[in-house]
Amino acid sequence: MGPVFSSTHVLVAKQKTVIDIKETKDIFKYSVATVRADISEKSLRKIGFPDQKLAKLSNVKQAFLMLKNERVDLVMLSIHGLHHVLMELHESRNRYKIVWQVNKIGNYFAFSKETPDLIINKFQQTLDSLETKRIEILQKYKLPEEEY
């Protein structure tokens, strides 16, 4: 049931870098940092991204630092992850640009297959009635509006 929020996964480059992506296959020309075994790595693998151009790190901060230090051309992360790492590293958003949206995935509540439809429908109705509160919570935790 949901969505609760969305996760928009994007490729980010340094503002000064010339990146020319017009279609998905153009991404394959560039090196990309991502988080190992994260949805970002899985999404790149799903489109056939070559392993030899992929730098797999243990967290978003490390992946972003690869971009900052010009060790890769791009970093893949969610828009929320981008905002968070920029704040954490005291980096200016103006120094970076989103060059491609890889995907947008809704985040939902899951129920057991045995859960009666009546309960699931009631849950969704209640969630829908809390839409204003849901937005307030997303704003409180500084989730970017693109992720609502």
Side-chain angles (χ1 to χ4, degrees), residues 62-78:
Q62 287 178 338
F64 186 83
L65 288 171
M66 291 280 288
L67 173 67
K68 180 182 177 187
N69 295 321
E70 299 180 0
R71 298 191 59 213
V72 293
D73 303 311
L74 302 164
V75 64
M76 184 169 161
L77 65 171
S78 69

Side-chain angles (χ1 to χ4, degrees), residues 118-131:
L118 180 66
I119 292 174
I120 293 172
N121 291 336
K122 185 67 173 166
F123 185 91
Q124 183 66 55
Q125 289 172 358
T126 303
L127 184 62
D128 291 346
S129 74
L130 297 170
E131 182 65 10

Side-chain angles (χ1 to χ4, degrees), residues 14-144:
K14 286 186 127 180
Q15 189 65 40
K16 66 179 183 177
T17 306
V18 176
I19 300 288
D20 185 28
I21 301 174
K22 291 183 177 52
E23 57 185 328
T24 303
K25 69 177 183 156
D26 294 336
I27 298 167
F28 300 176
K29 297 185 282 189
Y30 303 100
S31 58
V32 179
T34 187
V35 177
R36 183 181 302 111
D38 181 69
I39 187 70
S40 58
E41 179 189 353
K42 291 174 183 177
S43 295
L44 287 172
R45 288 193 178 286
K46 189 174 185 177
I47 62 170
F49 193 82
D51 195 55
Q52 65 272 21
K53 293 194 168 230
L54 195 59
K56 297 173 267 188
L57 291 299
S58 61
N59 62 58
V60 171
K61 184 177 176 182
Q62 287 178 338
F64 186 83
L65 288 171
M66 291 280 288
L67 173 67
K68 180 182 177 187
N69 295 321
E70 299 180 0
R71 298 191 59 213
V72 293
D73 303 311
L74 302 164
V75 64
M76 184 169 161
L77 65 171
S78 69
I79 291 174
H80 177 67
L82 174 61
H83 286 248
H84 178 77
V85 78
L86 290 172
M87 283 186 346
E88 184 178 347
L89 296 173
H90 307 288
E91 283 285 324
S92 169
R93 172 68 176 89
N94 296 336
R95 296 183 67 206
Y96 301 92
K97 61 185 174 183
I98 294 173
V99 296
W100 191 258
Q101 178 178 317
V102 176
N103 60 30
K104 185 170 187 164
I105 300 169
N107 292 275
Y108 294 80
F109 289 100
F111 291 86
S112 166
K113 290 180 182 179
E114 289 79 32
T115 304
D117 287 346
L118 180 66
I119 292 174
I120 293 172
N121 291 336
K122 185 67 173 166
F123 185 91
Q124 183 66 55
Q125 289 172 358
T126 303
L127 184 62
D128 291 346
S129 74
L130 297 170
E131 182 65 10
T132 302
K133 189 65 173 169
R134 182 183 76 85
I135 299 296
E136 288 173 11
I137 292 168
L138 295 174
Q139 290 171 338
K140 176 182 176 182
Y141 289 97
K142 299 182 172 117
L143 198 68

Side-chain angles (χ1 to χ4, degrees), residues 5-8 78-80 104 138 143-148:
F5 66 95
S6 297
S7 294
T8 306
S78 69
I79 291 174
H80 177 67
K104 185 170 187 164
L138 295 174
L143 198 68
E145 282 187 43
E146 300 97 316
E147 305 286 62
Y148 291 9

